Amino acid sequence: MTHPFLDLAPLSAVHFAAIEDRVARLLDTEQDVVIMQGEALLPLEGAIRSTAGPGTVALNVITGPYGQTFGDWLRDCGAEVIDLAVPFHTAVTADRIRAAFEARPEIDFVSLVHAEAATGNTNPVAEIGEVVRAHGALFYLDAVASIGAEPVLPDAWGVDLCVIGAQKAMGGPAGVSAVSVSARAWTRMTSNPGAPRRSYLSLLDWKDRWTDAGRKALPHAPAQLEMLALEACVERIESEGLDTVMRRHAVAAAATRAGALALGGGLEPYVHDASEAAPVATTLRTPPGTIASELVARALASDPTLPLVAGGGALAKEMIRVNHYGVDATVTVVQRCLAALGAAMESTHSITDA
Ligand SMILES: *Cc1c(COP(=O)(O)O)cnc(C)c1O
């Protein structure tokens, strides 16, 4: 008996290349797009280890937990790291980046997360890109949580390494990801003696054995289930229209912010300024005296399918994440989340009052 997930025909090199081209169109980029067969942390780590090393002076912008991780990888590669952290309820500004370059003109690498699903903020990449380009630094961007929810334009913004994953606003699989690589980034890698080679983290392996070799033969067996799922999810975005998908996310985010305030009871948007709030997911601050993780647990008890989660680590006390992305980017889902949170807050009060 054949099974829809099993007994798949091998994925051909032509098919693999066609999926890469489709992802490149989604990013509106002429750069090489390398698909990596693992969760997005694979290209995120691979791109840093390929381009950074002793001698690199990296400006690492921290607007959430991923920025923290990038700083650790950069230091591990031997780079000098200048961390620029901003409070999680805001975004970084281009002026802060400009000031960092004025203080340390030798900065030659900038790492930034576009949108943070974990903290709910989004950063002005276009403006920051202008500053980075003016100083000639290499620009690394984590667009995992922004792709599909808001414009991601590596070429227009001068991004040299733009990493995406399909599992957030694209509504796709988590086991496959991609990175667009500029000519400048390839040059940096080829001149970096520490860049991984003959390694699963290596981008240069893909360049040598796949991209530069005319994409005729795959270096190893492709993860066909994930590749087919990636293709299906890009196809679905194309047929709905990328603009429509992004609008759905923006509407869901606006509805969450407005609805949380309308609920009353002290629940409020975690990111103060709506223009700095990510369309992919909305974070909410719980009222004083309420524990976010407890509120979420109570809301999920009434409906376990809701895309609600408490903030990670220390944020679990005060932050609720409404992950209204992918198929959940609808006003209906947002209304159900808010209704469940409202009921959970009510029951908290009656417990406290009793
Ligand atoms: C979700 C996300 C990733 C992918 O990491 P997972 O925790 O495995 O989902 C990477 N970067 C950002 C900014 C993300 O929001």
Side-chain angles (χ1 to χ4, degrees):
M1 230 191 307
T2 61
H3 186 284
F5 300 166
L6 310 174
D7 315 310
L8 297 169
L11 194 87
S12 69
V14 170
H15 196 170
F16 193 99
I19 300 170
E20 280 186 337
D21 292 344
R22 227 163 167 157
V23 171
R25 277 198 298 278
L26 189 72
L27 290 170
D28 202 9
T29 184
E30 303 282 316
Q31 297 177 4
D32 289 329
V33 166
V34 179
I35 291 184
M36 301 211 78
Q37 303 177 61
E39 200 274 333
L41 287 165
L42 175 62
L44 286 170
E45 181 173 353
I48 281 185
R49 293 196 185 277
S50 295
T51 47
T56 302
V57 181
L59 175 65
N60 181 48
V61 183
I62 302 176
T63 56
Y66 291 96
Q68 216 102 44
T69 303
F70 303 161
D72 292 340
W73 286 333
L74 285 161
R75 276 180 280 270
D76 192 51
C77 291
E80 183 193 340
V81 182
I82 300 150
D83 282 323
L84 169 55
V86 303
F88 292 168
H89 63 264
T90 63
V92 74
T93 60
D95 280 341
R96 296 285 306 272
I97 307 293
R98 200 172 285 116
F101 274 107
E102 272 159 25
R104 294 294 304 275
E106 62 276 40
I107 290 168
D108 62 358
F109 182 99
V110 175
S111 46
L112 175 72
V113 176
H114 185 185
E116 295 259 11
T119 45
N121 48 26
T122 187
N123 295 299
V125 182
E127 289 168 47
I128 292 169
E130 269 179 46
V131 178
V132 176
R133 209 165 8 181
H135 289 85
L138 208 68
F139 192 15
Y140 165 100
L141 186 71
D142 173 351
V144 176
S146 50
I147 184 71
E150 56 188 305
V152 175
L153 301 166
D155 292 14
W157 298 343
V159 177
D160 294 292
L161 294 153
C162 183
V163 175
I164 64 160
Q167 73 265 41
K168 300 262 167 72
M170 287 175 72
V176 70
S177 48
V179 53
S180 73
V181 186
S182 72
R184 274 158 35 96
W186 283 131
T187 306
R188 188 81 75 100
M189 285 183 222
T190 47
S191 60
N192 177 12
R197 286 180 181 272
R198 281 163 293 283
S199 155
Y200 208 58
L201 284 171
S202 177
L203 285 167
L204 287 173
D205 285 0
W206 280 92
K207 177 177 170 54
D208 293 345
R209 298 176 63 189
W210 171 247
T211 317
D212 289 359
R215 301 195 297 179
K216 289 193 177 64
L218 286 158
H220 52 71
Q224 75 252 65
L225 202 52
E226 283 76 15
M227 290 300 293
L228 293 174
L230 174 62
E231 182 179 44
C233 111
V234 178
E235 221 165 60
R236 189 167 67 176
I237 292 169
E238 287 171 359
S239 70
E240 185 180 353
L242 179 58
D243 286 342
T244 310
V245 176
M246 292 193 293
R247 197 153 46 237
R248 251 190 318 108
H249 286 85
V251 168
T256 310
R257 291 178 71 86
L261 290 171
L263 258 186
L267 198 63
E268 49 184 51
Y270 197 93
V271 177
H272 298 180
D273 188 337
S275 69
E276 297 181 335
V280 69
T282 301
T283 46
L284 301 173
R285 186 184 287 278
T286 48
T290 330
I291 307 293
S293 55
E294 290 173 7
L295 212 54
V296 166
R298 212 165 301 131
L300 288 177
S302 70
D303 183 353
T305 66
L306 295 174
L308 290 173
V309 60
L315 294 172
K317 279 174 94 165
E318 61 181 35
M319 181 192 281
I320 295 174
R321 293 166 54 187
V322 184
N323 286 334
H324 47 64
Y325 50 69
V327 289
D328 288 330
T330 67
V331 170
T332 313
V333 169
V334 167
Q335 282 168 342
R336 284 173 42 221
C337 288
L338 291 169
L341 287 173
M345 291 203 305
E346 274 294 310
S347 70
T348 311
H349 287 306
S350 24
I351 292 165
T352 325
D353 295 345

